[in-house]
Amino acid sequence: MKRYDLVGIGNAVVDVISQSDDSFLDHMGIEKGIMQLIGRERAEVLYGAMDGRVQTPGGSVANTIAGAGALGLETAFIGRVRDDALGQFYAGAMSENGIDFVNPPVADGELPTSRSMIFVSPDGERSMNTYLGISTGLSSQDVSPDVTGNARIMFLEGYLFDHDAGKTAFREAARATRAGGGQTGIAISDPFCVDRHRADFISLIQHDLDFVIGNEAEIQSLFESDHLDDALVMTAALCPLVVCTRSGDGVTVMQGTDRIDVAVDAITPVDATGAGDQFAAGFLYGMATGRDLKSCARIGNICAREVISHIGPRPEADIGAMLRAEGLA
């Protein structure tokens, strides 16, 4: 059976990206700078209104897997798409990028392939309008133990934890990976998802995970704390490794009671889409290649810096060359 450096489980979402100004957002009733969940009809309206759209396979953890694969890791992604035009595009594009897309498009799916319409403003803010479609139906039946049991690192997407079937699939995947000698972690993804399932989130982190990656709001949401330092200490008491991105304030890594703070270079983003996803790609690449935690965070910062320098959630530059320039490869 194939051994993977990194396997991700998450929403398989086609990102549809276009540039737009604030007047267009106002006209279409789009709230700037946030992610909104929308229905199928609204998705069709917004898709038709997009000018010069760029289509790419997306989803938070899928973007992370693509970034790590571009750095040379052997990767796979587990997600659900329907056997429709967007689903065929998604599966084909992932395979073309060297990622094993484990499950074929679902021929008899009741819902269409998921898609997110992303409107990028001149100031780099992204306004995301996401129709979840078929991807949220992921269950244990979609998660092969032949894949999860042969992953050196398993990375889970917090958004899918919003569904009972997803919770079960995550626990089974985490245990299969750990039984095979691998490590399992999660991208918290959304503080509001934590609010809805706090006890289950904390139980998963405490009993089944080896690492957690999240931003300040997500880490604080776990224990409903207004103080990041307190939240980091409490999370680190449950999980061996906690990684917190703090935007322009850098990255904090907690391993037990040991704390590492790594600064970032401040730049003006062209498009902030995918910054957290590509940070995770770089950090997990560092883990998979045996780097120390400070180096992992530095690699993550470089990957995040590259992706916010252009439109789109996946790297375009030669990240390997960037790492060599920084003495990290």
Side-chain angles (χ1 to χ4, degrees):
M1 295 180 185
K2 190 171 184 178
R3 183 73 168 167
Y4 292 101
D5 297 315
L6 177 63
V7 175
I9 303 179
N11 282 314
V13 183
V14 177
D15 286 337
V16 188
I17 305 168
S18 72
Q19 295 180 291
S20 59
D21 56 25
D22 290 352
S23 63
F24 174 86
L25 299 181
D26 290 340
H27 175 70
M28 297 301 296
I30 297 170
E31 190 168 348
K32 183 177 178 178
I34 69 167
M35 192 280 283
Q36 292 179 298
L37 296 178
I38 60 175
R40 185 172 180 174
E41 184 175 340
R42 172 73 166 163
E44 296 294 340
V45 170
L46 292 182
Y47 184 84
M50 301 182 88
D51 184 37
R53 55 184 178 246
V54 176
Q55 193 166 280
T56 180
S60 176
V61 163
N63 289 335
T64 294
I65 298 302
L71 287 168
L73 296 188
E74 193 71 49
T75 60
F77 180 70
I78 297 171
R80 282 172 62 86
V81 297
R82 186 178 176 180
D83 190 12
D84 54 20
L86 284 178
Q88 293 166 7
F89 163 79
Y90 192 98
M94 294 289 276
S95 297
E96 288 170 8
N97 288 332
I99 303 162
D100 282 0
F101 189 68
V102 174
N103 301 321
V106 180
D108 57 350
E110 294 183 4
L111 298 175
T113 296
S114 310
R115 76 288 307 265
S116 181
M117 277 65 67
I118 303 171
F119 299 88
V120 182
S121 307
D123 59 3
E125 282 287 343
R126 68 197 194 282
S127 307
M128 303 174 66
N129 298 262
T130 302
Y131 169 60
L132 292 176
I134 196 173
S135 65
T136 58
L138 185 135
S139 69
S140 298
Q141 294 180 350
D142 302 297
V143 181
S144 168
D146 290 341
V147 176
T148 57
N150 284 285
R152 293 176 59 203
I153 300 175
M154 171 66 62
F155 195 44
L156 310 172
E157 183 174 317
Y159 287 124
L160 281 178
F161 205 67
D162 229 356
H163 306 271
D164 288 340
K167 292 178 185 179
T168 300
F170 274 13
R171 291 189 185 98
E172 292 178 358
R175 291 167 187 173
T177 297
R178 296 176 98 184
Q183 295 178 287
T184 301
I186 195 168
I188 296 178
S189 299
D190 181 20
F192 301 107
C193 185
V194 175
D195 289 342
R196 292 189 290 270
H197 307 279
R198 182 167 288 104
D200 286 339
F201 252 107
I202 291 174
S203 176
L204 179 75
I205 290 168
Q206 181 175 11
H207 299 294
D208 295 305
L209 300 186
D210 301 291
F211 64 91
V212 172
I213 299 178
N215 62 29
E216 292 177 86
E218 292 161 357
I219 297 294
Q220 289 177 225
S221 69
L222 285 170
F223 294 96
E224 300 179 275
S225 174
D226 294 329
H227 303 286
L228 178 61
D229 288 348
D230 292 343
L232 285 168
V233 169
M234 288 186 284
T235 309
L238 299 181
C239 189
L241 181 63
V242 182
V243 184
C244 179
T245 57
R246 298 183 291 118
S247 191
D249 292 327
V251 178
T252 297
V253 181
M254 296 285 294
Q255 188 174 41
T257 58
D258 295 332
R259 174 171 174 154
I260 301 170
D261 291 297
V262 181
V264 296
D265 296 326
I267 67 170
T268 301
V270 173
D271 174 15
T273 307
D277 303 338
Q278 294 310 319
F279 170 84
F283 194 94
L284 295 176
Y285 167 79
M287 286 179 58
T289 53
R291 313 303 174 90
D292 63 86
L293 294 176
K294 184 175 182 179
S295 295
C296 290
R298 289 180 62 200
I299 295 170
N301 287 341
I302 290 169
C303 292
R305 184 179 68 203
E306 188 281 335
V307 82
I308 67 174
S309 70
H310 58 76
I311 300 293
R314 297 188 177 186
E316 293 182 352
D318 183 346
I319 303 293
M322 298 172 70
L323 297 183
R324 289 190 290 273
E326 297 285 342
L328 290 167

